[in-house]
Amino acid sequence: MLAAEPKSVGRPVLRKEDNRLIKGLGCYVADVNRPDQVYARIVRSQVAHAKLLGVHLEEARARPGCVAAFAATDIPDIAQKKIPVRITPSRLDQFALQTPLAVDKVRYVGEPIAVVVATDPYVAEDVAEDVWAEMEELPPHLDPLSAGGSVLHEMVPDNIVGDIDTSNGEDVDGLFRNADVLLHQRFSIHRHSAAPLEPRGLVAEADPQTGRLVVWGPTKVKHFNKRVLASMLDLPDNRILLIEPDVGGGFGPRGEFYPEDFLIPWLALRLKRPVKWIEDRAENFVALNHSREHVIDLTIAAQSDGTLLGFRCTDWCSVGAYVRTTGLTVAKLVGLHLSGPYRWRGFSSKVIGVLTNKTPLGTYRGPGEVEATFVRERALDILAAKLGLDPTDIRRRNLIPAEALPYRVETGPRSETLEYGSGNYPAMFDRLLANAGYQELKDEQARRRELGEAVGIGVACFLDQGGIGPFEQARVVAEVDGTFTGYVGVASVGQGVQTALAQILADEIGVSVDRARILHHDTDSIEDGMGAYASRTTSVGGSALVLAARQLKDNARRAGAQRFGVAEHEVELRADEVWARDGRVVTFRALECEASARFETSAIDFSFGSVLATVSVDRGTGRVRVERYVGHYDVGRAVNPLIVRGQLEGGAAQGIGGILLEELAYDDRGQPLCTSFMDYMLPTLSEVPYIETAWSEFPSEDNLIGAKGAGEAGIIGSMAVIANAVADALDPDRMVVTSTPLRADRVLGLLRASSSAPPHGISSTLDST
Amino acid sequence: MKPPPFHYVRCSSAADAVALLSEGGEDAKLLAGGQSLVPLLNFRLARPSLLVDINHIEDLDYVREDEAELCIGALTRQATLERTSLRSCWDAIAEAVPLIGHYPTRFRGTVGGSIAHADPSAEIPVLCLGYGARLTLVGAGNQRIVVADDFFLGPFMTLIEPSEILTDVCLTAPPLGASTAFEEFSERHGDFALASVFAGMQLIDGVCSWVRIAAAGVGPTPVRAAAAEAALLGSRASDADLREAAAALASECSIRDDFHCSAKARSEIANELALRALTRARGKQVGVAGRRSEGLHQPSSESSAGEDN
Amino acid sequence: MEQMSDQDSPLRSRTDPAVVAMVGSDDIVEVTFELNGTATTLRCSVRWTLADMLREKARVTGTHLGCEHGVCGACTVIVDGEPVRSCVMLAVQVEGSSVRTIEGLCPSGELHPVQRAFHESHALQCGFCTPGFIMLSVGLLEREPDASKGRIRDVLSSNLCRCTGYRPILRAVRSAQREMSQ
């Protein structure tokens, strides 16, 4: 009898994805080429807000090499083809949805106004330049706080597309009245781009033999997008096949349904030729969903010993010109994550989605969570300083203790109840401080301060949510060569899903991991799926795989027993073989086994994380150098430690870039100022320190894997912890950092401000009541 | 982001290039390293009708050092200059060139291309001003030499006429025994500098007998900081003298606010960089090692705890 | 522009490289060079970048386009022994040169030490920046086998990665350096 195969879950299995990719044999959408293909180019508005009076295509159509050119007037019923909201609808969003081409108004620089098609991509760009539009410019509405101003959508008269209230516990006014201290602060967070290294693209072809419309390029939420596309094209769902190629990073915005996701397939049907569209980087900066732009007012009530009582918060979220598929999710998650891993007696928040003449907003890694964590953790530091408490002490005092878990947080009559499941927040926080050597860091800081250095230490604690349902499906097939294929409806955005899920599948069956493969690439392989977002691929997708594998084993047992003519209880499963008592054996593959299953969950996993960072600020140039970055996260269960570590480190690096270097700005005419990698500065190796990462595993009880997600945890605390460290470096009261980013010239301004007393420009008020 | 259409021709001599530029008119452009021009073509911010590729011109790729000057052919790759050992008075070059763009861009980018392109934040123009460079321009049937002080007219604008080609740049050697240093600040490795400063100094019997200060990022072109130089010349180059000189440089700052950096911050940064460059140049004079604030091979600021191999 | 299209222009008669066709506004030329050790002649417009010629005409798509303005380095290839950004080189500029792309690193199928090190160090996630980093690293290590850690850090700071946070890439290159020095 063979020895049982050692389990691969929990081991740092090297990735199956790598072999092709390190050889340059990946197939990203730009590498897909179809015979007789033509090249599309989107013509985009150069004006932020205008009535669109006409789009002129005559010159474009006359240029040699132009195959076709279309504006809204060429697409029947385009005004009714609105890109729907997938999650988090809001009151008036139906009046602020985007059509694939602008019909009578343009509302952001980059909005598609026409699409042209040519024989090669160079000529397509020539043709696009021949298109011109007649517009009547309107003043742009750019500031989410300004009431009035230009109206973007007729039926949304004050540009407020919706709002979401949360409320919890005791009456907040009462808490404020009885508090020893109230801290009021306004924070502002800048606009970010996820900026995946691969721009978007699509290749669409109407297959002449099957009559199906095949589209390469979709990812993330393929099944939803297929349904939307079918609806917009008036086709039955099964006439469309979406194929996910290799994907050069997703981070949230890639894979949502954009105007191009309609236009390119429409062109393929219209022209009866394959159509290839590859976005360039300048387009990506104005077309890919932006994220994170908020102004947030927070008032916290506390006792003088640092006990938190309650808070009230208003978030004005600049959602851009249209409500995109992720609806008001970014703002909603701010409201749900403000309270974080702490005990409060009550709180209330209102998040408001405000339309602005900028690129629309979507979810970006740790959406709303990064922002809420920044605001709350900054406020805790300011409060701690004013109360004379160490920042670690105020957190320890208020972290939800282990014995209080699972901890339920009601968030109001029209909002969901949050349940924080397993974990031990105070113990993990102490572990972080021990790993970082907190006391030694403080001592060293004191020594360096004596020498005149501006050095700071920051901490932050947060909750990460993941494992969102409602379901995933999986199908497992025993192949003739002895391998097993698992089909799943999740997606890959480069995070290693093929390896981690293969480990889960292999372990469940009892074979070595090289005998399991995962396919997720197209919408045919599995009937339905939710996709890759909210840190759910391993936990929810993996659970579906486990159920399918168990079903496979049941099927094999039944089929094997039947083959042997014995009762089911008389056969034994050993890995992928069915054994009769008399020594007869048959393999799963010989039985041609396959099975499908569906895993459903309505739970959301909340996992604790904490981070510490040290920075030194160059007083002469304003440069912030991150010296140490230490994180401790609860990943539930690390299916593949290599992949988990990679996700946590990558998320931290992205967050460090986000607060210190990256900034999407607009001028007062609504013109974007950052449309290249020279202006939007992703960090290089020189700007990212060694990220020290450790984790605990408090398994989730809401899925079969126990995993809680690691894809977003790495970024969630990054903005807060760097901001806290910089504030500590600049100012003993830690009050000066209330907005992001912390680029050199801002830091120089803060240095100037903090050297005079009281710091000016700070709208922080601290009242003793 | 694909280039617009253009005609393209290679040439093999400076005279040929000049003839092609004359024929091509205002819309003809020279293609050397391409690290500045091709991105502009890709963005369609440059739309030349004719590209004249001068990469095959021989005799313009050289570095010749003698007592009085350092002459560099315009087509010398930045990487070549980076690899060339020079004596210590040319230290500012050794410090500046590794900060130009990135390792791969320096294999293509040329010394002459950087000067002719005249990006206001570029390093080599600052070196030209600091070292009092003389630039050779070849036109149709004539050749002239222009001094660096006169050469830079505005952002991306120089004295080069449409049918001229820069062929050589000769930097003047500082007085024997002088020291130079170069400081730059960019928010990210390899980026365009927000400001950069060249400092050259000689102390004889403790008195500053020669000083050169040049900077980029403080105005629409790189500048010679004449007021700052005057403040230092004849002084004992004390800390206070250096601070005064650095402040004089900063006060001449005429740059405007832009999205990346306010004018006020830029002048503060220039002040700081001038102070650091002057301090290090002085340090080299008196034999005190200075710590460079930015740049290569700096001891990593990461703690050694937990650092990978 | 008009004088250039005049067939009698003296410029036209000595145009180098020869224009073999004109399609619309495009002058088509032939570029002869060595691609991964094989002599190759390809036709494309003079305005085509090296990256596009490799990807579209030679159909080696391992060289990726992340920005097309010479910042991200995903398009890095090795030309005449030097790592360069193929998105800011014109295709015609490699006439007579030797060009190596990621596909040419392991012709026999056995992984180059840098490739193997990337795999073992988990130095890639989405893989889009990976060929560029690998070619940059191979170029550096071939030219400077004894590059110091600081030198490697400096050179690797040339390229962008959005997924890994870079440290695994640094580890991979140093590990490959050790293997290559044996």
Side-chain angles (χ1 to χ4, degrees):
Chain A
M1 175 167 155
L2 291 171
E5 189 66 46
K7 297 293 186 184
S8 71
V9 168
R11 290 203 289 114
V13 173
L14 296 183
R15 293 194 336 163
K16 293 167 172 283
E17 292 89 328
D18 286 359
N19 191 47
R20 291 180 310 112
L21 301 178
I22 54 179
K23 292 178 178 171
L25 299 177
C27 185
Y28 300 84
V29 66
D31 307 331
V32 173
N33 291 298
R34 303 298 301 158
D36 199 37
Q37 71 190 3
V38 286
Y39 300 83
R41 174 107 179 143
I42 309 293
V43 181
R44 300 183 182 277
S45 172
Q46 311 277 13
V47 168
H49 198 195
K51 291 188 195 162
L52 184 61
L53 303 173
V55 178
H56 291 265
L57 303 171
E58 309 82 40
E59 284 147 27
R61 287 173 172 149
R63 182 180 279 270
C66 175
V67 170
F70 301 104
T73 47
D74 300 302
I75 301 179
D77 301 322
I78 194 175
Q80 281 72 52
K81 294 185 196 299
K82 303 203 182 209
I83 298 171
V85 168
R86 182 170 62 79
I87 47 175
T88 323
S90 51
R91 187 168 43 91
L92 296 178
D93 62 24
Q94 59 184 297
F95 301 115
L97 300 179
Q98 188 170 5
T99 53
L101 290 177
V103 176
D104 51 15
K105 250 191 125 180
V106 294
R107 298 179 173 90
Y108 65 99
V109 171
E111 177 165 5
I113 61 173
V115 61
V116 303
V117 185
T119 48
D120 86 35
Y122 286 69
V123 176
E125 229 174 295
D126 300 339
V127 174
E129 288 185 320
D130 289 337
V131 175
W132 58 282
E134 280 172 70
M135 298 199 192
E136 185 187 307
E137 279 197 56
L138 300 166
H141 177 249
L142 299 170
D143 176 4
L145 289 182
S146 72
S150 270
V151 170
L152 275 80
H153 298 271
E154 199 176 32
M155 302 292 287
V156 189
D158 53 0
N159 291 323
I160 291 178
V161 74
D163 56 74
I164 300 174
D165 291 320
T166 64
S167 59
N168 167 280
E170 300 174 36
D171 167 55
V172 175
D173 287 327
L175 290 171
F176 280 17
R177 272 195 299 278
N178 296 320
D180 292 336
V181 72
L182 284 180
L183 166 66
H184 172 75
Q185 182 63 56
R186 169 165 288 185
F187 298 90
S188 78
I189 300 169
H190 66 286
R191 221 161 227 258
H192 290 61
S193 172
L197 212 60
E198 182 204 11
R200 295 175 301 149
L202 296 163
V203 178
E205 178 177 8
D207 185 323
Q209 281 162 347
T210 64
R212 292 182 86 193
L213 177 61
V214 181
V215 186
W216 288 266
T219 180
K220 190 185 182 187
V221 284
K222 299 189 293 289
H223 289 82
F224 175 84
N225 288 0
K226 183 179 80 166
R227 288 192 290 274
V228 171
L229 181 60
S231 162
M232 289 172 88
L233 290 173
D234 288 318
L235 291 176
D237 281 9
N238 59 18
R239 287 276 302 282
I240 296 178
L241 171 64
L242 301 186
I243 300 177
E244 176 183 303
D246 289 315
V247 171
F251 311 119
R254 187 204 305 278
E256 294 293 342
F257 199 98
Y258 287 88
E260 299 87 354
D261 292 281
F262 166 81
L263 289 169
I264 308 306
W266 181 84
L267 284 171
L269 290 177
R270 174 68 181 253
L271 300 175
K272 299 183 173 47
R273 289 174 78 170
V275 176
K276 180 169 181 173
W277 166 72
I278 303 299
E279 181 180 61
D280 67 38
R281 182 54 59 182
E283 286 185 271
N284 181 272
F285 272 115
V286 295
L288 189 76
N289 287 342
H290 292 176
S291 206
R292 305 225 200 285
E293 185 186 353
H294 309 260
V295 176
I296 299 177
D297 278 353
L298 179 67
T299 307
I300 292 184
Q303 302 293 43
S304 51
D305 66 356
T307 303
L308 297 174
L309 296 177
F311 67 82
R312 173 171 285 128
C313 176
T314 308
D315 169 19
W316 291 269
C317 179
S318 164
V319 301
Y322 295 96
V323 177
R324 279 246 160 97
T325 50
T326 50
L328 218 49
T329 302
V330 172
K332 170 181 159 181
L333 290 173
V334 170
L336 294 180
H337 277 265
L338 275 166
S339 51
Y342 304 101
R343 274 188 296 201
W344 301 86
R345 288 181 28 197
F347 59 81
S348 84
S349 72
K350 179 188 278 289
V351 300
I352 304 167
V354 186
L355 296 166
T356 47
N357 288 108
K358 299 180 180 179
T359 299
L361 223 71
T363 52
Y364 166 33
R365 205 172 193 177
E369 298 155 282
V370 169
E371 301 94 294
T373 303
F374 166 75
V375 163
R376 178 195 63 246
E377 296 294 308
R378 279 299 303 128
L380 287 183
D381 263 26
I382 295 172
L383 189 60
K386 285 303 173 183
L387 297 176
L389 295 171
D390 186 278
T392 59
D393 287 337
I394 197 172
R395 286 166 173 87
R396 273 203 199 88
R397 175 174 288 278
N398 292 285
L399 282 173
I400 297 165
E403 57 271 19
L405 297 177
Y407 188 82
R408 290 174 64 87
V409 180
E410 307 286 334
T411 59
R414 281 181 304 280
S415 193
E416 59 237 62
T417 302
L418 312 176
E419 180 158 319
Y420 306 160
S422 55
N424 188 333
Y425 307 168
M428 280 185 61
F429 185 52
D430 285 339
R431 264 304 279 292
L432 168 79
L433 297 175
N435 288 349
Y438 185 64
Q439 195 48 57
E440 289 85 347
L441 288 175
K442 301 267 301 175
D443 294 340
E444 191 193 332
Q445 179 184 43
R447 277 194 300 275
R448 290 172 70 181
R449 279 179 167 165
E450 287 286 302
L451 300 172
E453 289 188 61
V455 288
I457 303 171
V459 294
C461 299
F462 60 89
L463 289 172
D464 169 29
Q465 73 173 56
I468 288 186
F471 74 92
E472 276 305 331
Q473 293 180 335
R475 181 164 62 95
V476 180
V477 175
E479 308 282 7
V480 295
D481 62 357
T483 63
F484 293 85
T485 302
Y487 296 89
V488 288
V490 295
S492 169
V493 288
Q495 75 275 46
V497 72
Q498 286 172 5
T499 303
L501 294 182
Q503 289 171 255
I504 291 171
L505 177 60
D507 275 14
E508 190 63 37
I509 296 174
V511 299
S512 68
V513 67
D514 49 271
R515 288 175 62 189
R517 84 172 63 74
I518 300 297
L519 293 183
H520 53 82
H521 291 290
D522 65 54
T523 50
D524 274 357
S525 57
I526 197 81
E527 182 213 342
D528 200 358
M530 293 303 294
Y533 52 92
S535 306
R536 63 191 300 279
T537 313
T538 303
S539 51
V540 183
S543 297
L545 258 184
V546 165
L547 289 180
R550 288 179 186 168
Q551 186 64 53
L552 183 81
K553 292 196 293 194
D554 284 348
N555 293 354
R557 177 185 291 277
R558 188 173 317 117
Q562 197 170 59
R563 174 78 65 97
F564 297 144
V566 302
E568 275 185 46
H569 66 268
E570 293 180 26
V571 301
E572 185 191 333
L573 293 186
R574 302 176 196 170
D576 64 329
E577 298 174 341
V578 186
W579 286 71
R581 290 207 185 123
D582 58 8
R584 283 178 295 167
V585 57
V586 65
T587 60
F588 286 16
R589 66 180 174 274
L591 294 169
E592 296 177 355
C593 290
E594 77 170 71
S596 295
R598 179 180 171 104
F599 176 75
E600 293 181 353
T601 177
S602 56
I604 301 175
D605 281 320
F606 285 87
S607 59
F608 179 76
S610 58
V611 280
L612 176 147
T614 66
V615 302
S616 76
V617 177
D618 183 329
R619 291 190 209 276
T621 63
R623 183 203 294 291
V624 175
R625 202 175 283 289
V626 182
E627 296 185 338
R628 281 187 74 192
Y629 191 102
V630 188
H632 197 89
Y633 312 91
D634 172 14
V635 301
R637 185 164 177 220
V639 169
N640 185 322
L642 212 56
I643 291 176
V644 166
R645 184 176 304 279
Q647 288 294 300
L648 294 170
E649 288 181 5
Q654 207 170 26
I656 288 170
I659 187 174
L660 292 180
L661 293 167
E662 301 172 30
E663 183 181 14
L664 289 178
Y666 282 76
D667 71 13
D668 55 16
R669 289 169 45 238
Q671 291 292 321
L673 297 173
C674 300
T675 54
S676 78
F677 278 153
M678 293 184 289
D679 295 313
Y680 191 78
M681 301 194 296
L682 303 192
T684 72
L685 170 57
S686 288
E687 288 79 48
V688 178
Y690 171 58
I691 312 274
E692 299 168 52
T693 298
W695 58 76
S696 299
E697 291 178 279
F698 292 96
S700 164
E701 279 140 40
D702 297 315
N703 64 71
L704 302 174
I705 311 298
K708 282 177 172 170
E712 294 172 283
I715 201 174
I716 291 174
S718 58
M719 186 185 281
V721 75
I722 299 292
N724 279 347
V726 171
D728 186 45
L730 296 183
D731 168 42
D733 293 331
R734 300 194 198 93
M735 288 174 70
V736 293
V737 176
T738 56
S739 69
T740 64
L742 294 172
R743 295 181 57 187
D745 97 325
R746 312 302 152 76
V747 173
L748 284 175
L750 294 176
L751 279 163
R752 259 180 262 126
S754 70
S755 65
S756 58
H760 68 197
I762 305 302
S763 64
S764 183
T765 60
L766 202 65
D767 305 318
S768 296
T769 63
Chain B
M1 282 165 53
K2 313 295 188 189
F6 50 78
H7 299 292
Y8 167 97
V9 60
R10 278 182 209 122
C11 64
S12 50
S13 73
D16 225 13
V18 170
L20 287 166
L21 287 175
S22 306
E23 243 187 275
E26 292 278 334
D27 292 332
K29 279 201 76 67
L30 297 177
L31 174 67
Q35 303 303 280
S36 302
L37 178 59
V38 181
L40 290 175
L41 292 174
N42 290 348
F43 278 117
R44 300 197 170 203
L45 293 174
R47 293 175 187 261
S49 57
L50 173 68
L51 274 197
V52 179
D53 185 340
I54 55 173
N55 286 283
H56 299 267
I57 297 179
E58 295 180 4
D59 305 331
L60 291 186
D61 179 356
Y62 66 86
V63 180
R64 285 197 285 270
E65 181 185 0
D66 66 34
E67 277 173 21
E69 53 183 14
L70 177 68
C71 287
I72 307 170
L75 284 175
T76 306
R77 305 290 169 182
Q78 291 152 9
T80 304
L81 187 57
E82 189 179 355
R83 283 194 298 268
T84 306
S85 296
L86 301 166
R87 63 182 194 274
S88 65
C89 68
W90 304 112
D91 264 359
I93 297 176
E95 293 176 4
V97 176
L99 300 175
I100 301 174
H102 288 295
Y103 177 73
T105 66
R106 295 195 290 276
F107 285 116
R108 301 295 308 161
T110 62
V111 173
S114 174
I115 295 169
H117 184 62
D119 186 305
S121 63
E123 293 84 351
I124 293 180
V126 176
L127 295 174
C128 288
L129 288 177
Y131 284 117
R134 296 175 316 116
L135 306 156
T136 304
L137 303 176
V138 168
N142 76 313
Q143 174 176 299
R144 60 186 178 128
I145 294 184
V146 179
V147 296
D149 282 358
D150 299 335
F151 181 77
F152 299 98
L153 302 179
F156 310 101
M157 290 194 296
T158 69
L159 275 186
I160 303 181
E161 294 290 330
S163 301
E164 280 183 320
I165 172 172
L166 170 68
T167 53
D168 313 83
V169 50
C170 289
L171 309 181
T172 309
L176 191 61
S179 301
T180 60
F182 187 90
E183 288 281 334
E184 172 177 308
F185 177 73
S186 59
E187 290 186 87
R188 196 177 49 157
H189 183 283
D191 274 355
F192 293 110
L194 288 181
S196 62
V197 177
F198 167 102
M201 182 189 300
Q202 183 171 41
L203 300 176
I204 295 183
D205 295 328
V207 174
C208 183
S209 59
W210 178 81
V211 63
R212 284 285 184 279
I213 306 173
V218 295
T221 66
V223 298
R224 273 282 296 280
E229 290 176 0
L232 269 183
L233 197 60
S235 76
R236 299 200 65 84
S238 67
D239 287 352
D241 293 324
L242 298 192
R243 279 195 298 273
E244 188 190 323
L249 167 71
S251 68
E252 287 175 273
C253 184
S254 64
I255 200 89
R256 288 194 300 271
D257 287 349
D258 73 24
F259 151 66
H260 284 292
C261 195
S262 65
K264 189 169 171 59
R266 237 186 251 263
S267 90
E268 285 176 20
I269 292 169
N271 190 333
E272 180 66 25
L273 294 179
L275 192 55
R276 293 180 189 181
L278 287 167
T279 303
R280 283 201 300 111
R282 181 187 68 183
K284 295 180 192 184
Q285 285 289 289
V286 302
V288 172
R291 191 182 77 84
R292 282 184 52 208
S293 60
E294 312 290 347
L296 304 177
H297 314 304
Q298 277 303 294
S300 155
S301 59
E302 298 125 23
S303 76
S304 54
E307 172 60 272
D308 38 57
N309 47 28
Chain C
M1 189 79 162
E2 295 320 303
Q3 65 190 117
M4 290 302 104
S5 62
D6 179 357
Q7 291 295 325
D8 296 327
S9 157
L11 176 61
R12 174 68 60 224
S13 65
R14 48 180 250 261
T15 296
D16 171 27
V19 173
V20 300
M22 290 176 68
V23 178
S25 317
D26 282 272
D27 293 342
I28 310 298
V29 292
E30 287 184 340
V31 184
T32 299
F33 65 108
E34 187 184 85
L35 175 60
N36 294 325
T38 303
T40 306
T41 298
L42 294 169
R43 275 191 182 198
C44 65
S45 165
V46 281
R47 59 169 162 156
W48 274 46
T49 61
L50 173 59
D52 280 330
M53 180 176 71
L54 293 171
R55 291 177 50 76
E56 308 298 329
K57 300 295 181 181
R59 289 293 161 103
V60 285
T61 58
T63 302
H64 297 148
L65 290 174
C67 74
E68 295 185 289
H69 49 281
V71 178
C72 77
C75 66
T76 305
V77 297
I78 297 176
V79 175
D80 295 332
E82 298 172 335
V84 293
R85 294 176 172 178
S86 61
C87 73
V88 291
M89 256 182 106
L90 299 180
V92 288
Q93 291 184 284
V94 299
E95 175 75 27
S97 288
S98 126
V99 177
R100 290 161 65 201
T101 70
I102 183 79
E103 291 89 345
L105 267 198
C106 60
S108 58
E110 187 181 313
L111 293 176
H112 188 285
V114 172
Q115 288 170 313
R116 186 166 37 253
F118 268 64
H119 175 56
E120 289 170 359
S121 299
H122 189 39
L124 64 149
Q125 291 182 25
C126 81
F128 197 74
C129 74
T130 304
F133 264 105
I134 290 176
M135 297 313 285
L136 174 68
S137 308
V138 168
L140 170 67
L141 292 178
E142 286 178 353
R143 301 176 68 86
E144 300 176 33
D146 300 319
S148 69
K149 180 179 177 190
R151 175 66 166 163
I152 294 175
R153 283 186 69 238
D154 185 67
V155 171
L156 290 180
S157 300
S158 304
N159 282 17
L160 297 179
C161 172
R162 199 52 167 159
C163 293
T164 65
Y166 298 108
R167 293 294 146 159
I169 295 175
L170 176 59
R171 278 198 293 275
V173 175
R174 297 197 72 220
S175 166
Q177 179 186 43
R178 283 191 290 273
E179 188 186 329
M180 285 165 73
S181 69
Q182 281 153 14

